[in-house]
Amino acid sequence: MNKKKWIAAASALALTMSVAAGCTDAPVASEKAPEASKGEKAPDNEIFIYTVYPAFYAKEENFEKQIGQHLKKKFPNFTFKHVHWDNPGRQYKDLIAAGTIPDIIIDNARMNLQRYIMKNDLQYDMSELIKKYNFDTSKLNQAAFAQMKNVTPEGHIYGLPFQLSDFVLFYNKDIFDKFGVDYPKDGMTYDEIYELAKKLTRVEGENTYKGYQQHPGLYMNYNQLSLSPLSLTEDKAELSTDSWKKVVDNLRRFYEIPANQFTSVDDFPKGKMAMSVHVSEKIIQWHEQNKNLNFDIASMPSFPDAPQTKAQPNMYSAYITKQSTKKDQAFQVISYLLSEEMQIELSKEGIIGPLESKAVQDAFGKNLPQMQGKNTKAIFASKNAMPPAARANGLTYVDVPVHNVFSPLIFGESKDSATALRMIEEQTTKGIQTEKAAK
């Protein structure tokens, strides 16, 4: 399926966006990325890097600034070829057809590892290289690393986390001041934020002030209770559970506050929304959209029984392909990208890295004037929820349209939570059987 159409249909399931631009769309076309050569043998010292996400790297100058120039300085004996995803012409299928398999792929871990990398048999277990080069995985964000290990029951490590796009709570200070409500703080629960949302949702003449908005599909997909929409042991969906209903009901109540119906989290810069949950990159984008917007951020609200826990990792990972003949060199490149030296440089540009380092966190946003004066410590105030455990071998993978629980079933058709969950469960299980029959 055309990738852009798929993402549109998924109502922004592919939330992850360019780190400095805050783009929530599919990867965009690159006018400057080089064409893939038609099966020509690459020079022995050339490392071919293929980026799908972040979309920011569609512009070659962005890739060069954030990654390319540093790699050239660190590895003067290597040459680097960069190609970014483009439709048409530079999709996975195009590179494979041309016989030009990258050495390194950087892509959305949750959305595309199984859908593209594994489906095209490009995956490579990096475990032996990790041992060979004494790479210390304990220094990485453990939820992010677990997401990579939990792809298979054996714990194969097909990639290492490279960049994260974490959710935070944005709040409009002027609206809080207008209604005399205290600003939200780091570490608040959904129950506490719900009470604020009720106070801040107001209709005054022609002005409607919405108290709180959070994208239901992203909330479900990266849920903070570590729930899997697919059964871990059987070829079926698994959504008709008390835990999933708890997740749905928790957010649903916000949209049942009169006048606070869901519209768009991206309406925040218009100045009539008190709180919105979105990724930290929006600090830059929303400032540029409305430079008079008086806002700050706090940590994402959490469930009372999972305190100080934000969403599961929403990240891009770095992979070495099975077909690469330069696996050792590729791993050295990835190791450097994950070094404290390199992670500090990326952090200065507002990129959340997987390295658990105070120096990296302290450097966050230093190069970006839009970040100054903001409570950027909120980004690191809570931990990521752990991803679900690995599913058993041999089970069929399909994308589960968890976003449809809210839209259209709850928002458009007024279904109760249990019914909406059951309908998506049945639809997905049927899709799994269709996929198996097609094989």
Side-chain angles (χ1 to χ4, degrees), residues 13-38:
L13 258 183
L15 60 85
T16 46
M17 63 263 340
S18 79
V19 168
C23 171
T24 55
D25 297 323
V28 295
S30 169
E31 296 179 358
K32 298 185 178 181
E35 293 288 349
S37 56
K38 302 297 181 181

Side-chain angles (χ1 to χ4, degrees), residues 24-142:
T24 55
D25 297 323
V28 295
S30 169
E31 296 179 358
K32 298 185 178 181
E35 293 288 349
S37 56
K38 302 297 181 181
E40 298 174 5
K41 186 180 185 303
D44 291 339
N45 67 336
E46 179 185 272
I47 302 297
F48 178 11
I49 301 175
Y50 178 54
T51 56
V52 181
Y53 281 97
F56 188 61
Y57 294 151
K59 292 185 177 180
E60 190 64 22
E61 59 266 33
N62 293 338
F63 178 85
E64 183 64 21
K65 177 183 178 183
Q66 291 191 356
I67 295 181
Q69 65 167 330
H70 299 289
L71 293 182
K72 291 171 185 175
K73 182 178 179 181
K74 178 66 176 179
F75 302 102
N77 295 327
F78 292 175
T79 61
F80 294 93
K81 172 185 176 181
H82 171 235
V83 169
H84 186 80
W85 187 97
D86 190 5
N87 181 24
R90 298 190 187 95
Q91 298 183 44
Y92 279 95
K93 63 181 181 181
D94 300 312
L95 299 183
I96 293 168
T100 54
I101 306 299
D103 299 294
I104 296 171
I105 295 171
I106 297 175
D107 199 353
N108 183 302
R110 178 181 296 268
M111 189 173 71
N112 288 340
L113 171 56
Q114 297 188 68
R115 195 156 63 103
Y116 287 127
I117 294 175
M118 295 177 69
K119 187 174 181 179
N120 288 303
D121 197 31
L122 300 174
Q123 75 278 7
Y124 171 73
D125 185 1
M126 297 162 62
S127 300
E128 290 304 315
L129 289 174
I130 290 171
K131 293 178 183 177
K132 180 177 180 178
Y133 290 98
N134 296 313
F135 183 84
D136 188 358
T137 58
S138 69
K139 294 182 178 180
L140 300 177
N141 176 319
Q142 288 305 290

Side-chain angles (χ1 to χ4, degrees), residues 47-276:
I47 302 297
F48 178 11
I49 301 175
Y50 178 54
T51 56
V52 181
Y53 281 97
F56 188 61
Y57 294 151
K59 292 185 177 180
E60 190 64 22
E61 59 266 33
N62 293 338
F63 178 85
E64 183 64 21
K65 177 183 178 183
Q66 291 191 356
I67 295 181
Q69 65 167 330
H70 299 289
L71 293 182
K72 291 171 185 175
K73 182 178 179 181
K74 178 66 176 179
F75 302 102
N77 295 327
F78 292 175
T79 61
F80 294 93
K81 172 185 176 181
H82 171 235
V83 169
H84 186 80
W85 187 97
D86 190 5
N87 181 24
R90 298 190 187 95
Q91 298 183 44
Y92 279 95
K93 63 181 181 181
D94 300 312
L95 299 183
I96 293 168
T100 54
I101 306 299
D103 299 294
I104 296 171
I105 295 171
I106 297 175
D107 199 353
N108 183 302
R110 178 181 296 268
M111 189 173 71
N112 288 340
L113 171 56
Q114 297 188 68
R115 195 156 63 103
Y116 287 127
I117 294 175
M118 295 177 69
K119 187 174 181 179
N120 288 303
D121 197 31
L122 300 174
Q123 75 278 7
Y124 171 73
D125 185 1
M126 297 162 62
S127 300
E128 290 304 315
L129 289 174
I130 290 171
K131 293 178 183 177
K132 180 177 180 178
Y133 290 98
N134 296 313
F135 183 84
D136 188 358
T137 58
S138 69
K139 294 182 178 180
L140 300 177
N141 176 319
Q142 288 305 290
F145 184 56
Q147 186 169 319
M148 303 314 304
K149 288 191 69 175
N150 289 3
V151 175
T152 67
E154 297 81 10
H156 296 317
I157 304 171
Y158 293 142
L160 289 173
F162 173 47
Q163 296 180 14
L164 286 91
S165 183
D166 275 339
F167 296 93
V168 294
L169 176 73
F170 289 77
Y171 63 94
N172 185 319
K173 289 184 174 183
D174 289 342
I175 295 178
F176 276 80
D177 293 342
K178 177 180 176 66
F179 298 125
V181 178
D182 291 338
Y183 300 153
K185 301 175 182 178
D186 295 340
M188 295 184 78
T189 65
Y190 278 105
D191 293 341
E192 293 171 317
I193 296 297
Y194 176 67
E195 293 304 316
L196 295 182
K198 288 194 294 184
K199 294 177 183 178
L200 293 160
T201 302
R202 309 277 187 99
V203 178
E204 292 191 345
E206 295 182 355
N207 291 320
T208 297
Y209 296 92
K210 289 186 179 295
Y212 183 88
Q213 297 278 288
Q214 183 171 358
H215 193 290
L218 306 180
Y219 165 82
M220 295 281 285
N221 200 44
Y222 296 89
N223 72 84
Q224 291 154 272
L225 298 185
S226 306
L227 306 178
S228 171
L230 293 172
S231 168
L232 302 182
T233 57
E234 300 179 62
D235 251 339
K236 65 178 185 179
E238 195 166 78
L239 290 165
S240 294
T241 67
D242 290 341
S243 295
W244 270 113
K245 185 175 182 298
K246 175 180 177 179
V247 168
V248 172
D249 286 342
N250 176 62
L251 185 61
R252 181 174 189 156
R253 59 178 166 164
F254 285 88
Y255 296 125
E256 292 175 345
I257 298 172
N260 193 55
Q261 69 273 21
F262 177 68
T263 51
S264 170
V265 290
D266 284 298
D267 283 342
F268 185 80
K270 296 178 181 179
K272 297 293 191 295
M273 187 180 295
M275 295 179 286
S276 178

Side-chain angles (χ1 to χ4, degrees), residues 408-425:
L409 296 180
I410 290 175
F411 294 153
E413 301 177 20
S414 301
K415 303 293 186 185
D416 64 81
S417 300
T419 298
L421 285 164
R422 187 184 70 251
M423 290 175 70
I424 299 303
E425 179 182 86

